[in-house]
PDB file of all heavy atoms in Angstrom:
ATOM      1  N   ALA Z  28      16.201 -59.123 100.321  1.00 76.00           N
ATOM      2  CA  ALA Z  28      17.263 -58.305 100.298  1.00 76.00           C
ATOM      3  C   ALA Z  28      17.899 -58.285  98.843  1.00 76.00           C
ATOM      4  O   ALA Z  28      18.394 -57.281  98.321  1.00 76.00           O
ATOM      5  CB  ALA Z  28      18.345 -58.684 101.254  1.00 76.00           C
ATOM      6  N   PHE Z  30      16.328 -59.194  96.036  1.00 81.00           N
ATOM      7  CA  PHE Z  30      15.437 -58.430  95.130  1.00 81.00           C
ATOM      8  C   PHE Z  30      15.417 -56.959  95.364  1.00 81.00           C
ATOM      9  O   PHE Z  30      15.507 -56.245  94.180  1.00 81.00           O
ATOM     10  CB  PHE Z  30      13.937 -58.917  95.495  1.00 81.00           C
ATOM     11  CG  PHE Z  30      12.914 -58.201  94.601  1.00 81.00           C
ATOM     12  CD1 PHE Z  30      12.813 -58.815  93.236  1.00 81.00           C
ATOM     13  CD2 PHE Z  30      12.213 -57.221  94.962  1.00 81.00           C
ATOM     14  CE1 PHE Z  30      11.859 -58.141  92.403  1.00 81.00           C
ATOM     15  CE2 PHE Z  30      11.340 -56.527  94.161  1.00 81.00           C
ATOM     16  CZ  PHE Z  30      11.167 -57.087  92.825  1.00 81.00           C
ATOM     17  N   LEU Z  38      22.332 -48.503  90.787  1.00 81.00           N
ATOM     18  CA  LEU Z  38      23.203 -49.612  90.383  1.00 81.00           C
ATOM     19  C   LEU Z  38      23.764 -49.397  88.937  1.00 81.00           C
ATOM     20  O   LEU Z  38      23.129 -48.840  88.015  1.00 81.00           O
ATOM     21  CB  LEU Z  38      22.351 -50.923  90.175  1.00 81.00           C
ATOM     22  CG  LEU Z  38      21.997 -51.614  91.449  1.00 81.00           C
ATOM     23  CD1 LEU Z  38      21.088 -52.864  91.146  1.00 81.00           C
ATOM     24  CD2 LEU Z  38      23.138 -51.963  92.241  1.00 81.00           C
ATOM     25  N   PRO Z  40      25.574 -51.115  85.464  1.00 87.00           N
ATOM     26  CA  PRO Z  40      25.297 -52.406  84.813  1.00 87.00           C
ATOM     27  C   PRO Z  40      25.963 -53.672  85.429  1.00 87.00           C
ATOM     28  O   PRO Z  40      25.376 -54.740  85.478  1.00 87.00           O
ATOM     29  CB  PRO Z  40      25.784 -52.204  83.386  1.00 87.00           C
ATOM     30  CG  PRO Z  40      25.623 -50.804  83.179  1.00 87.00           C
ATOM     31  CD  PRO Z  40      25.985 -50.101  84.430  1.00 87.00           C
ATOM     32  N   ILE Z  51      18.694 -65.013  90.784  1.00 95.00           N
ATOM     33  CA  ILE Z  51      18.489 -66.188  90.092  1.00 95.00           C
ATOM     34  C   ILE Z  51      18.864 -67.448  90.825  1.00 95.00           C
ATOM     35  O   ILE Z  51      18.171 -68.450  90.877  1.00 95.00           O
ATOM     36  CB  ILE Z  51      19.017 -66.101  88.645  1.00 95.00           C
ATOM     37  CG1 ILE Z  51      18.219 -64.926  87.882  1.00 95.00           C
ATOM     38  CG2 ILE Z  51      18.898 -67.364  88.008  1.00 95.00           C
ATOM     39  CD1 ILE Z  51      18.914 -64.647  86.497  1.00 95.00           C
ATOM     40  N   GLN Z  72      17.041 -72.107  74.305  1.00 96.00           N
ATOM     41  CA  GLN Z  72      16.241 -73.387  74.011  1.00 96.00           C
ATOM     42  C   GLN Z  72      15.018 -73.293  74.966  1.00 96.00           C
ATOM     43  O   GLN Z  72      14.814 -74.158  75.738  1.00 96.00           O
ATOM     44  CB  GLN Z  72      17.161 -74.541  74.344  1.00 96.00           C
ATOM     45  CG  GLN Z  72      18.444 -74.730  73.434  1.00 96.00           C
ATOM     46  CD  GLN Z  72      19.187 -75.906  73.864  1.00 96.00           C
ATOM     47  OE1 GLN Z  72      18.925 -76.627  74.716  1.00 96.00           O
ATOM     48  NE2 GLN Z  72      20.249 -76.102  72.995  1.00 96.00           N
ATOM     49  N   THR Z  96      15.673 -62.219  77.505  1.00 94.00           N
ATOM     50  CA  THR Z  96      16.509 -62.206  76.350  1.00 94.00           C
ATOM     51  C   THR Z  96      17.509 -61.039  76.400  1.00 94.00           C
ATOM     52  O   THR Z  96      18.612 -61.084  76.162  1.00 94.00           O
ATOM     53  CB  THR Z  96      15.577 -62.115  75.157  1.00 94.00           C
ATOM     54  OG1 THR Z  96      14.824 -63.303  74.983  1.00 94.00           O
ATOM     55  CG2 THR Z  96      16.431 -61.943  73.747  1.00 94.00           C
ATOM     56  N   GLY Z 102      23.015 -57.802  79.322  1.00 87.00           N
ATOM     57  CA  GLY Z 102      23.494 -57.748  80.821  1.00 87.00           C
ATOM     58  C   GLY Z 102      24.680 -58.657  81.006  1.00 87.00           C
ATOM     59  O   GLY Z 102      25.555 -58.189  81.825  1.00 87.00           O
ATOM     60  N   LEU Z 116      33.685 -48.082  83.612  1.00 89.00           N
ATOM     61  CA  LEU Z 116      32.192 -48.365  83.894  1.00 89.00           C
ATOM     62  C   LEU Z 116      31.719 -48.023  85.230  1.00 89.00           C
ATOM     63  O   LEU Z 116      30.751 -47.285  85.406  1.00 89.00           O
ATOM     64  CB  LEU Z 116      31.689 -49.672  83.313  1.00 89.00           C
ATOM     65  CG  LEU Z 116      30.293 -49.935  83.367  1.00 89.00           C
ATOM     66  CD1 LEU Z 116      29.382 -49.131  82.475  1.00 89.00           C
ATOM     67  CD2 LEU Z 116      30.040 -51.499  83.061  1.00 89.00           C
ATOM     68  N   ALA Z 120      32.678 -43.207  84.187  1.00 89.00           N
ATOM     69  CA  ALA Z 120      33.435 -42.389  83.217  1.00 89.00           C
ATOM     70  C   ALA Z 120      32.898 -42.670  81.716  1.00 89.00           C
ATOM     71  O   ALA Z 120      33.070 -41.699  80.932  1.00 89.00           O
ATOM     72  CB  ALA Z 120      34.928 -42.628  83.287  1.00 89.00           C
ATOM     73  N   ARG Z 138      42.436 -50.396  74.598  1.00 92.00           N
ATOM     74  CA  ARG Z 138      42.999 -49.179  75.318  1.00 92.00           C
ATOM     75  C   ARG Z 138      42.966 -47.979  74.303  1.00 92.00           C
ATOM     76  O   ARG Z 138      42.762 -46.933  74.659  1.00 92.00           O
ATOM     77  CB  ARG Z 138      44.452 -49.455  75.688  1.00 92.00           C
ATOM     78  CG  ARG Z 138      44.513 -50.540  76.930  1.00 92.00           C
ATOM     79  CD  ARG Z 138      45.915 -50.621  77.464  1.00 92.00           C
ATOM     80  NE  ARG Z 138      45.915 -51.547  78.545  1.00 92.00           N
ATOM     81  CZ  ARG Z 138      45.544 -51.331  79.799  1.00 92.00           C
ATOM     82  NH1 ARG Z 138      45.203 -50.207  80.115  1.00 92.00           N
ATOM     83  NH2 ARG Z 138      45.692 -52.291  80.659  1.00 92.00           N
ATOM     84  N   GLY Z 153      30.753 -43.349  66.583  1.00 94.00           N
ATOM     85  CA  GLY Z 153      32.160 -42.906  66.370  1.00 94.00           C
ATOM     86  C   GLY Z 153      33.145 -43.922  66.781  1.00 94.00           C
ATOM     87  O   GLY Z 153      34.226 -44.086  66.071  1.00 94.00           O
ATOM     88  N   ALA Z 156      33.135 -46.466  64.055  1.00 94.00           N
ATOM     89  CA  ALA Z 156      33.997 -45.950  62.977  1.00 94.00           C
ATOM     90  C   ALA Z 156      35.481 -46.080  63.161  1.00 94.00           C
ATOM     91  O   ALA Z 156      36.263 -46.436  62.315  1.00 94.00           O
ATOM     92  CB  ALA Z 156      33.606 -44.595  62.473  1.00 94.00           C
ATOM     93  N   LEU Z 187      12.305 -57.317  37.000  1.00 42.00           N
ATOM     94  CA  LEU Z 187      13.448 -58.023  36.431  1.00 42.00           C
ATOM     95  C   LEU Z 187      13.006 -58.747  35.151  1.00 42.00           C
ATOM     96  O   LEU Z 187      12.143 -59.637  35.271  1.00 42.00           O
ATOM     97  CB  LEU Z 187      14.055 -59.045  37.421  1.00 42.00           C
ATOM     98  CG  LEU Z 187      14.654 -58.335  38.692  1.00 42.00           C
ATOM     99  CD1 LEU Z 187      15.144 -59.560  39.574  1.00 42.00           C
ATOM    100  CD2 LEU Z 187      15.718 -57.371  38.416  1.00 42.00           C
ATOM    101  N   GLY Z 196      20.228 -73.755  16.257  1.00 56.00           N
ATOM    102  CA  GLY Z 196      20.224 -74.472  15.019  1.00 56.00           C
ATOM    103  C   GLY Z 196      20.258 -73.650  13.845  1.00 56.00           C
ATOM    104  O   GLY Z 196      20.991 -72.589  13.671  1.00 56.00           O
ATOM    105  N   LEU Z 219      28.308 -45.511  -3.399  1.00 40.00           N
ATOM    106  CA  LEU Z 219      27.247 -45.486  -4.317  1.00 40.00           C
ATOM    107  C   LEU Z 219      27.105 -44.023  -4.719  1.00 40.00           C
ATOM    108  O   LEU Z 219      27.227 -43.152  -3.981  1.00 40.00           O
ATOM    109  CB  LEU Z 219      26.010 -46.044  -3.912  1.00 40.00           C
ATOM    110  CG  LEU Z 219      25.956 -47.573  -3.453  1.00 40.00           C
ATOM    111  CD1 LEU Z 219      24.665 -47.998  -2.922  1.00 40.00           C
ATOM    112  CD2 LEU Z 219      26.299 -48.436  -4.698  1.00 40.00           C
TER     113      LEU Z 219
END
Side-chain angles (χ1 to χ4, degrees):
F30 179 79
L38 285 180
I51 293 173
Q72 301 177 358
T96 297
L116 176 67
R138 290 189 183 276
L187 299 178
L219 296 177

